[in-house]
Amino acid sequence: MAETIKVTLPEGQVERVPRGTTPLELLRRQNQRLAEQAVVAMSNGDLVDLTEPLLRDTALRFLTTDDPEGMFVFRHSSAHLLAAAVLELFPEVKLGVGPPTDNGFFYEFYREQPFTPEDLARIERKMAELRDADVPNERRWLPRAEAMKLYEQQGQKFKCELVEEKAEGDQVSFYVTGKFIDFCRGPHIPSTGRIKAFKLLSVSGAYWKGVEGNPQMQRIYGTSFPSQAELDDFLHRLEEARRRDHRRLGPELDLFSFQDEAGAGLVFWHPKGGLVRTLMEDWLRAEYLRRGYQMVYTPHVMRIDLWKTSGHLDYYRQNMFPPMEEEHLTYQLKPMNCPGHILIYQSRLRSYRDLPLRLAELGTVYRYERGGVLHGLLRVRGFTVDDAHIFCTPEQVGEEIRLCVEFALDALRTFGFERFEAELSAYEPGHPEAYAGRVEDWERAEGALQRTLEQIGLPFKRMEGEAVFYGPKIDVKLIDAIGRPWQLSTIQFDFNLPERFDLSYIAADGAPHRPVMVHRALWGSVERFFGILIEHYAGAFPVWLAPVQAVVLPISEKNAAYAGQVAERLRSAGFRVELDARNEKLQAKIRDAQLQKIPFMLVCGKKEEEAGTVSVRSRAKGDLGPRPLGDFEGELRRLVETRAADA
RNA sequence: GCCGGCGUAGCUCAGUGGUAGAGCAGCCGAUUCGUAAUCGGCAGGCCAUCGGUUCAAAUCCGAUCGCCGGCUCCA
C-alpha cells in the first residue's frame, strides 16, 4: 500500500501527498486565498467534499461559487443550514427534501401550523447563529437498516421514504451539521461559516414529491451568496423585475386591465394597449401576405362533433369551457384553431398544385385554466393566437420549416429581442405505438427540423423523447432585457389530425395522398407576447410602437396656442401626439410624461414660439435643446420607419 | 384544483368590536411658471359579495368571487 499518492493539479503540477490528505489541506498549502473561496473539489471528474480524504492518485481541481456546480453545492449547504435552524426552533417538523434551485434553494417541511413571516425572521436569526458558529458539515455513513431505524425513531416518515427509494448500496450517506443530521448524497461546503449572506424569501405550499393528493408540505424558499454585495445585487435584480412587472405597468400606463365583474383571466385592452396591439398585428398581417400566407377567420363556437373528431374532447377536455346545449345540438367554444382551418382545407378537393397552403388567423381561443395558474397577461383564459397551419406535401416539409423558423426570428427581432435558444423535441425510438404517424414521417420531419436549426445557426438542445404524441416540434425561446428566458414560438408537425380528418390531396399521379400539417405560432399568444414586451421594454416602447410618441408642453397659457399648432402639425403628419395644456408647472408636466414613458417631450415657451422651434426632451437622454419643428418631424419619421430600438 | 397571504375612495395604504381616515389622482379657484410633483378649497367609500355571531361588525366566523407567492398543470 503506497504511503503517498499523486495529485495532478489544474495547471499540471503534480504533488505527492500522504494518502488520506484532504483537498482542503492540500489547497491551504497551495493557495490560502482559494482555500477560503473554494466550496467543493472535483476529483477525477466527480464532485467531492473538500474534507474527503484522498485515497488514490487523482486529477484535482477546486470549484468556487463562480462555477455553476460550486454555486449549487453552496446553495445545497444553505438549504441544510435552513433545515438545521428550523429543526432547532420547531423540533416537531417532518423533513422533506431540500435542494438548490437556479436562484437559491428551498427546504420542505411538514408541520400542522403554517410558518408565519415572524417565524421566517426567527429562522433567519437562528441560521445566522449557526453560520456564525461555523459548524462543520461532516459526512457519515450508516448501514441502511440503521439509517431506517434512525429516521423511524425520529418519526421522520418522509425521510424514511427517501432512504427507501434513493439509497444505493448497503451504506447510506448522511451529513451532520451540529445537531442536524440529514440523509444526503452531498457534497457540501466544509462548514456553515462560508454562507456569508442569505435571505429567506417566501413560504409556500407544495405537494410531497409534487404529486397532487399527497400531503402538502410547506416549502421555505431562500437564496444565499458568498458575500453581502452579491446578495444585494440579487435583491436589486428582483426589484428590477418588480419594476418591470407588466401587471403593474399595464394599469399604470393605461394599457389593459382585468375586471372582477367580467371574470378572471379575461383581458380588457384599453385604447393605448389596443393601439400597440393594432401596430403589432398590422406588422404581422403585412408579413403574412408577403410570405404567402392567406388570412382566414373561423367561428368561435362550433359543433361539438368537430371536437370529437379532432380528439380534443378526449385529451383536452379539462382545459375546455363546458359545452353549450341547444335543443338538438351541442356547441363548443374553441380552445384551438386547428379544426377550423382543417374544415377550410376540406371545403374542396385539393391538388398538389394548391400546396403549400398556408392558412393564418389571429384566432381567439378560450381555455379553462385552473384558478390558481392565472398570471397577468402571461396565463389567461381568453387569448388570441397568431396561428397558422401549413398543409404541404412531404417533399415540401424542409423548405416550409426553414421559412417558419426565419419568420419566427424575424417576428421576434422586430420587437427588440436579440437572443434566442431553441429546443427540438424528438420522439423516443422503439416506442412507435406511443406516436401518431409512420416512423419514416417522423424521421423526415425531425431531420428537417434539425437541418433547419443547423443551417440558420440557432443554438438548440435536442430533447429526446420529449415530443408530444402527434409530432416533433421546435420551440424557440427568447432571452429578454434582464436575461429571463421565455418560450414563445412553436413549430410543430402534426401527423394526427390529417389522419383523424382523413385529409388528402391529389398528387401528380392522380391518386389521393395524405398532406403533412405544420402547426405554428410565432408569438404564441398576442396577450402573452404583449406582456413580455411590456416587461422587456419596462413599459418604454420604442417610438414606432409607443401609444403616444410625443407630448407638447406649453410653458404657460401664453404659449398654448403655439403648442397647439405644433401638436396639430405633427398629428396631421401622422404621428401620435398629445398636448398637455394643463395649468401646471413645466416640471410637473415633464414628470408626468416621464412616468408615462412618452419618448419625446416638446417644450414650447416664448423662445420657441418666436423662433418656430421646439425644445426636445427625450425620456431617455433628457434635454436635447431647441430645434426647428421640421427637423424634429424628420427625426421622428426616421425613428418610426426604421422601427428604431430606442428613442 | 391545492397550501399560505390578501381584498377599505380611481391609485397607494392607515384604521382589530362602539360616529370610516391620509397622501396622490379628480373637480373648482388662485398662480403663468424653462426640463421629474405650485398653493388653497371641494367632492369622493353598502369597507369585494352573500350569509352568520353580537345590543353593536371594515374588524369575529362561514361561503363565494377576485388578487398575490408557490405547488400542480401548461396540446
Side-chain angles (χ1 to χ4, degrees):
Chain A
M1 211 209 273
E3 288 298 304
T4 62
I5 55 167
K6 214 164 56 173
V7 178
T8 311
L9 293 166
E11 276 88 47
Q13 68 273 42
V14 176
E15 286 276 325
R16 288 214 151 264
V17 298
R19 203 173 134 90
T21 300
T22 68
L24 191 57
E25 287 162 355
L26 177 61
L27 187 56
R28 284 217 171 106
R29 291 204 298 270
Q30 292 271 323
N31 181 340
Q32 186 56 37
R33 212 178 118 79
L34 184 57
E36 279 160 27
Q37 287 173 351
V39 293
V40 67
M42 190 173 270
S43 162
N44 291 333
D46 294 324
L47 289 178
V48 297
D49 288 328
L50 289 170
T51 51
E52 172 91 18
L54 297 168
L55 301 176
R56 272 170 308 191
D57 293 354
T58 180
L60 197 65
R61 69 188 183 92
F62 301 95
L63 304 184
T64 68
T65 49
D66 293 335
D67 304 283
E69 300 101 320
M71 188 53 116
F72 255 55
V73 169
F74 181 84
R75 291 320 191 3
H76 188 186
S77 300
S78 307
H80 276 224
L81 177 62
L82 164 61
V86 169
L87 219 46
E88 288 211 7
L89 295 170
F90 308 95
E92 75 280 10
V93 298
K94 308 294 175 230
L95 301 167
V97 296
T101 63
D102 286 347
N103 289 315
F105 59 87
F106 64 80
Y107 212 104
E108 283 180 357
F109 307 94
Y110 182 84
R111 178 173 178 248
E112 294 291 333
Q113 304 80 7
F115 289 112
T116 63
E118 295 73 44
D119 291 336
L120 286 196
R122 278 179 71 201
I123 294 166
E124 267 190 1
R125 285 197 294 276
K126 181 59 79 177
M127 286 172 72
E129 272 175 39
L130 293 173
R131 185 265 319 274
D132 295 339
D134 198 15
V135 185
N137 287 320
E138 292 169 320
R139 192 170 210 183
R140 295 278 163 75
W141 291 91
L142 288 179
R144 193 188 178 97
E146 220 172 289
M148 288 296 289
K149 212 172 100 193
L150 175 74
Y151 273 145
E152 270 162 27
Q153 279 168 358
Q154 296 179 348
Q156 292 288 357
K157 53 183 176 171
F158 300 106
K159 284 294 182 187
C160 285
E161 260 184 68
L162 290 174
V163 171
E164 226 161 80
E165 283 168 24
K166 299 209 168 173
E168 293 162 2
D170 303 333
Q171 296 286 310
V172 177
S173 166
F174 280 84
Y175 277 82
V176 178
T177 309
K179 284 179 267 179
F180 173 63
I181 177 161
D182 201 10
F183 167 57
C184 180
R185 140 177 80 181
H188 280 282
I189 61 176
S191 62
T192 57
R194 295 184 185 228
I195 307 172
K196 296 284 185 250
F198 59 84
K199 185 168 176 63
L200 298 183
L201 299 171
S202 64
V203 50
S204 72
Y207 300 110
W208 171 236
K209 289 182 193 162
V211 176
E212 218 168 316
N214 273 359
Q216 279 267 348
M217 312 292 285
Q218 294 187 63
R219 194 178 271 191
I220 298 180
Y221 284 86
T223 192
S224 62
F225 291 90
S227 72
Q228 186 63 36
E230 285 164 275
L231 174 61
D232 290 345
D233 189 52
F234 173 83
L235 295 174
H236 280 136
R237 282 202 307 279
L238 277 190
E239 189 50 46
E240 174 64 15
R242 251 194 298 280
R243 195 178 71 76
R244 290 168 176 261
D245 193 327
H246 74 281
R247 291 170 301 179
R248 195 172 66 79
L249 287 173
E252 255 173 45
L253 302 179
D254 202 14
L255 298 169
F256 67 87
S257 65
F258 292 93
Q259 303 291 333
D260 290 1
E261 296 93 318
L266 301 168
V267 185
F268 288 78
W269 293 75
H270 293 203
K272 284 179 180 165
L275 194 261
V276 178
R277 174 169 174 168
T278 302
L279 294 165
M280 291 164 62
E281 292 185 353
D282 286 350
W283 179 87
L284 189 66
R285 283 199 190 88
E287 286 297 311
Y288 274 143
L289 299 179
R290 204 164 73 73
R291 293 171 192 259
Y293 285 76
Q294 304 178 77
M295 301 296 300
V296 299
Y297 296 88
T298 59
H300 287 206
V301 288
M302 290 176 270
R303 280 171 55 183
I304 201 160
D305 312 66
L306 188 63
W307 305 100
K308 280 183 194 145
T309 306
S310 70
H312 288 97
L313 216 47
D314 292 329
Y315 58 79
Y316 204 63
R317 173 173 262 148
Q318 74 278 13
N319 274 310
M320 285 155 67
F321 275 87
M324 286 169 268
E325 309 263 346
E326 187 247 11
E327 209 160 326
H328 301 295
L329 297 171
T330 305
Y331 290 87
Q332 177 64 51
L333 196 53
K334 72 173 170 183
M336 291 193 193
N337 297 304
C338 346
H341 293 185
I342 285 174
L343 292 185
I344 293 175
Y345 180 92
Q346 283 183 311
S347 64
R348 66 186 182 88
L349 195 60
R350 298 291 176 180
S351 150
Y352 71 98
R353 295 176 195 277
D354 296 332
L355 308 185
L357 185 71
R358 308 184 187 97
L359 300 181
E361 176 175 11
L362 284 157
T364 302
V365 297
Y366 292 87
R367 298 185 186 172
Y368 192 82
E369 303 283 357
R370 299 162 104 185
V373 308
L374 299 173
H375 185 92
L377 291 177
L378 303 183
R379 195 78 181 273
V380 292
R381 286 190 172 142
F383 57 98
T384 301
V385 186
D386 62 324
D387 216 349
H389 294 90
I390 299 171
F391 302 88
C392 65
T393 68
E395 295 73 35
Q396 290 167 333
V397 156
E399 174 71 356
E400 287 306 310
I401 295 300
R402 186 180 64 77
L403 291 171
C404 282
V405 176
E406 284 174 2
F407 193 178
L409 293 181
D410 214 10
L412 303 181
R413 285 196 180 113
T414 300
F415 292 86
F417 299 99
E418 285 153 12
R419 294 165 57 200
F420 307 101
E421 295 169 354
E423 280 178 4
L424 195 173
S425 300
Y427 76 122
E428 194 168 357
H431 300 278
E433 74 288 350
Y435 300 99
R438 299 174 307 174
V439 172
E440 58 261 41
D441 290 334
W442 276 80
E443 283 174 354
R444 186 203 293 265
E446 288 186 14
L449 293 175
Q450 177 146 354
R451 268 194 307 283
T452 299
L453 292 172
E454 285 163 359
Q455 257 174 33
I456 291 179
L458 187 61
F460 70 98
K461 269 194 302 230
R462 215 184 136 88
M463 313 286 278
E464 304 295 341
E466 286 294 303
V468 283
F469 78 91
Y470 55 82
K473 63 172 180 175
I474 293 175
D475 289 319
V476 179
K477 283 186 201 165
L478 60 75
I479 313 293
D480 76 4
I482 55 172
R484 296 171 301 184
W486 300 94
Q487 208 261 288
L488 269 287
S489 312
T490 176
I491 299 166
Q492 349 191 314
F493 279 89
D494 193 329
F495 297 125
N496 181 46
L497 289 177
E499 290 286 336
R500 282 179 168 269
F501 283 90
D502 193 23
L503 298 187
S504 66
Y505 65 92
I506 306 300
D509 62 5
H513 290 254
R514 185 80 74 211
V516 175
M517 187 173 163
V518 177
H519 170 113
R520 40 109 294 175
L522 309 184
W523 297 336
S525 116
V526 178
E527 284 75 3
R528 188 174 125 91
F529 187 61
F530 184 49
I532 293 168
L533 261 193
I534 292 170
E535 304 210 352
H536 179 63
Y537 287 127
F541 291 101
V543 176
W544 77 282
L545 282 174
V548 178
Q549 295 168 317
V551 59
V552 185
L553 308 180
I555 284 180
S556 84
E557 266 169 40
K558 293 174 194 148
N559 317 110
Y562 175 65
Q565 286 163 26
V566 168
E568 201 37 57
R569 171 163 162 198
L570 291 172
R571 271 192 214 118
S572 59
F575 298 106
R576 302 183 290 275
V577 176
E578 282 181 357
L579 174 67
D580 184 354
R582 288 176 307 161
N583 181 6
E584 283 292 348
K585 290 175 72 173
L586 180 63
Q587 283 135 321
K589 297 182 189 185
I590 285 177
R591 179 184 150 83
D592 290 342
Q594 287 285 156
L595 290 175
Q596 284 298 305
K597 301 174 192 277
I598 298 169
F600 293 107
M601 287 146 266
L602 307 178
V603 176
C604 292
K606 191 167 169 229
K607 285 180 284 186
E608 289 79 7
E609 181 160 358
E610 282 166 3
T613 59
V614 290
S615 280
V616 179
R617 181 189 163 100
S618 138
R619 70 181 166 201
K621 297 179 197 137
D623 192 354
L624 301 178
R627 64 192 58 187
L629 180 55
D631 287 8
F632 174 73
E633 191 184 324
E635 173 66 3
L636 204 52
R637 176 159 291 116
R638 189 189 66 79
L639 289 170
V640 170
E641 282 172 359
T642 58
R643 300 196 185 94
D646 59 354

